[in-house]
Each structure stands twice: as structure tokens, then as C-alpha cells.
Amino acid sequence: MSECMTFTSQMEQALEEARAAEKRGEVPVGAVVVSPDGKVVSAAGNRVREWCDPSAHAEIVAIREACRILGSERLAGHDLYVTLEPCPMCASAISQARIARVYYGAADPKSGGVAQGPRVFSHPQSHHVPEVYDGIGAVESERLLKAFFARMR
Amino acid sequence: MSECMTFTSQMEQALEEARAAEKRGEVPVGAVVVSPDGKVVSAAGNRVREWCDPSAHAEIVAIREACRILGSERLAGHDLYVTLEPCPMCASAISQARIARVYYGAADPKSGGVAQGPRVFSHPQSHHVPEVYDGIGAVESERLLKAFFARMR
């Protein structure tokens, strides 16, 4: 499988998680943690409302699950695919989990924490800085989010 | 009880949680969530190592537990006492949980996200900004942290 196909397939799985989150009444965001040898370790969508947990963003739910499976609070060498730019909470969790690479879909000027505002990875308080690749699957991610918020109005 | 005594008592409970965390081999940080009428809703220490969960900082564990008890992903009107300046992950979680006031002990130039580096509350991406009071119980909080890290070396 080409590297490009791998990107597509793993972001597609994150988008599936976003669609499943939407069906549960959550903001449609999904995330996938991938091992150094390319296997999906965990996949999750937003669970904030269902779990009454403001920290249950897709990224944190996927990271927690991968850490539980691997028996470690760190995920060195692992990648994270997420359909939306991580917020500051998730960006900092990604750094603390030592995720190697972050691939995200849509930019989030309103609430993002990677390329916006606090730019969590850009300060010495971020003890680990992942490689960041943006815009992957962004069109479909944005479509899902816009449709969700349009229905909320 | 005077307001000053309340501060002391609630930070003392957070320091108790920090001491209990230290006994479990965790970085000694503790946090307490207090309801608008001054009752402690939840109290927690760091559980990162025990739970293999990089998001299990004292603040997030206490917020999750308070949200579970109250059946809401938001804690409007509630205060949070924490022995150390929150990191960017916890600062953003505090904002997303709509915590009204944050009282913290020691400053954390190395990893803090409130008065350092990303200054999470200082950007428009932080949709709620709590009142912040620092330096409460800071001497004892710093003593615990310094002793812990000295033993680790």
C-alpha cells in the first residue's frame, strides 16, 4: 500500500468515527491512534455529552484507550489521525503522550490550539513536539461539522 | 468561617490529595472542585502512572468526577483548587468545563499553561475565562514537588 493510500485509509477511519459521533448527538470529530508498524491501536469519536466529560474529545478518548491497551502512559512512535485541528487540551495531551506525528483534517480557527491562538507546540512548556500535517481529509471533515452546526441552529 | 479560612481549608484538602498521590508514586499534585455554595464536590490527585493515562492529571480527574456526580459536562459557578499551576491540557479543560475561579499554589515555569508559554486563557480560542488566583499554599506545594523530584534523581 502506498503511503498516500495509508493516509487516506486511516483518516477515513477517523471520519467514520466522526460520523458515528454525530449519530450520538456529539460534535462530529473522530481520531485514530496508529502504531509504529501502521496498525490501528484505537479509534474513537467525541463522547463529551454521552459521558458528561468535558475531556472526552476524540483525541483524548483514543489516546486513553491506546495507553490502556499498551499499558503505558506514553505512545512513543505512534501517530494520531484526527478530523479536526486539536484544541489546546488535546494538543497538550498529544505532547504529553509523546505522539510522533499528528495528521489533522479541517483547521479550527475558533477553538484550535495547534495553528491558532495558544499554539501549544510552539512553547518550551511543550516537552515533546510532534510532526504536524494538516489538511488531510479536510473537505469531508468540514462538511460534517458545518452540517452538524447548521442543524443545531 | 471567614473567606480566608475557606481558601486555606480547600487548598489544604488539595495538598492532602497531592501527598496521597506522592505515596502512590505519582507527581504530587492535588485538586478539589467546590460547588457554588462552598461544598467539596470532588477531590483527586494525579493518577497518570497508576491508570496509564496521560490525561489523568489531578485537575482533569477531579473535573471528570464532579461532572459525573452532577450529570453535566459543565461546572458553571464551581471553583477549582489545585496545588500547582495547570498545564495547557488542564487549563483548557478548566475553560471547557466553565469553572468560575481557579486557585492554584506553586507556579510552574517548566510546564505551566496559565501564566507561562501558551497562556491558554489569553486567546480568543478560550471561550470561557475563569478568574485566576495564584500563590495559595504555594510554599507547601513547592516543598512537596521539590522533595519528590530530589528523590527521583
Side-chain angles (χ1 to χ4, degrees), chain A residues 36-118:
Chain A
D37 61 351
K39 294 199 180 78
V40 170
V41 182
S42 62
N46 238 324
R47 296 270 179 182
V48 168
R49 287 177 191 177
E50 182 185 351
W51 291 354
C52 294
D53 179 354
S55 77
H57 285 192
E59 301 94 313
I60 288 191
V61 178
I63 286 172
R64 269 189 216 151
E65 176 65 1
C67 286
R68 191 190 61 75
I69 289 166
L70 299 169
S72 167
E73 78 262 24
R74 293 192 175 173
L75 298 168
H78 288 65
D79 298 342
L80 185 129
Y81 290 75
V82 55
T83 58
L84 183 66
E85 178 186 347
C87 78
M89 174 178 74
C90 293
S92 178
I94 285 165
S95 170
Q96 297 187 50
R98 304 296 189 265
I99 292 281
R101 280 166 292 269
V102 178
Y103 301 89
Y104 71 79
D108 189 1
K110 191 166 164 273
S111 308
V114 173
Q116 331 278 341

Side-chain angles (χ1 to χ4, degrees), chain B residues 30-100:
Chain B
V32 170
V33 172
V34 177
S35 70
D37 60 352
K39 294 199 180 77
V40 170
V41 181
S42 63
N46 238 324
R47 296 269 179 183
V48 168
R49 288 177 190 176
E50 183 185 351
W51 291 354
C52 294
D53 178 353
S55 76
H57 285 191
E59 300 94 313
I60 288 191
V61 178
I63 286 171
R64 272 189 213 151
E65 176 65 2
C67 287
R68 192 190 61 76
I69 290 167
L70 298 169
S72 166
E73 77 262 24
R74 294 192 175 174
L75 299 169
H78 288 66
D79 298 342
L80 185 129
Y81 290 75
V82 55
T83 58
L84 183 66
E85 179 186 348
C87 78
M89 174 178 73
C90 292
S92 179
I94 285 165
S95 170
Q96 297 188 52
R98 305 294 190 265
I99 292 281

Side-chain angles (χ1 to χ4, degrees), chain A residues 1 15 21 36 51 116 125-126 140 152:
Chain A
M1 195 185 287
L15 284 163
W51 291 354
Q116 331 278 341
Q125 287 78 12
S126 180
E140 172 63 0
M152 298 279 286

Side-chain angles (χ1 to χ4, degrees), chain B:
Chain B
M1 196 184 286
S2 77
E3 203 168 66
C4 179
M5 279 180 71
T6 307
F7 283 172
T8 309
S9 140
Q10 290 166 340
M11 190 58 85
E12 185 45 54
Q13 190 165 349
L15 285 163
E16 277 302 322
E17 289 291 337
R19 288 180 204 111
E22 184 181 31
K23 282 182 190 143
R24 296 190 302 267
E26 305 275 354
V27 177
V29 181
V32 170
V33 172
V34 177
S35 70
D37 60 352
K39 294 199 180 77
V40 170
V41 181
S42 63
N46 238 324
R47 296 269 179 183
V48 168
R49 288 177 190 176
E50 183 185 351
W51 291 354
C52 294
D53 178 353
S55 76
H57 285 191
E59 300 94 313
I60 288 191
V61 178
I63 286 171
R64 272 189 213 151
E65 176 65 2
C67 287
R68 192 190 61 76
I69 290 167
L70 298 169
S72 166
E73 77 262 24
R74 294 192 175 174
L75 299 169
H78 288 66
D79 298 342
L80 185 129
Y81 290 75
V82 55
T83 58
L84 183 66
E85 179 186 348
C87 78
M89 174 178 73
C90 292
S92 179
I94 285 165
S95 170
Q96 297 188 52
R98 305 294 190 265
I99 292 281
R101 281 167 290 270
V102 178
Y103 301 89
Y104 72 79
D108 189 359
K110 190 166 165 275
S111 308
V114 173
Q116 331 279 339
R119 292 180 167 77
V120 166
F121 302 139
S122 310
H123 302 274
Q125 287 78 11
S126 180
H127 303 302
H128 165 80
V129 176
E131 293 172 32
V132 176
Y133 303 92
D134 64 355
I136 297 149
V139 173
E140 173 62 1
S141 170
E142 264 179 37
R143 193 195 62 74
L144 279 170
L145 287 158
K146 279 185 182 162
F148 176 82
F149 287 111
R151 276 196 304 279
M152 298 279 285
R153 270 180 221 120

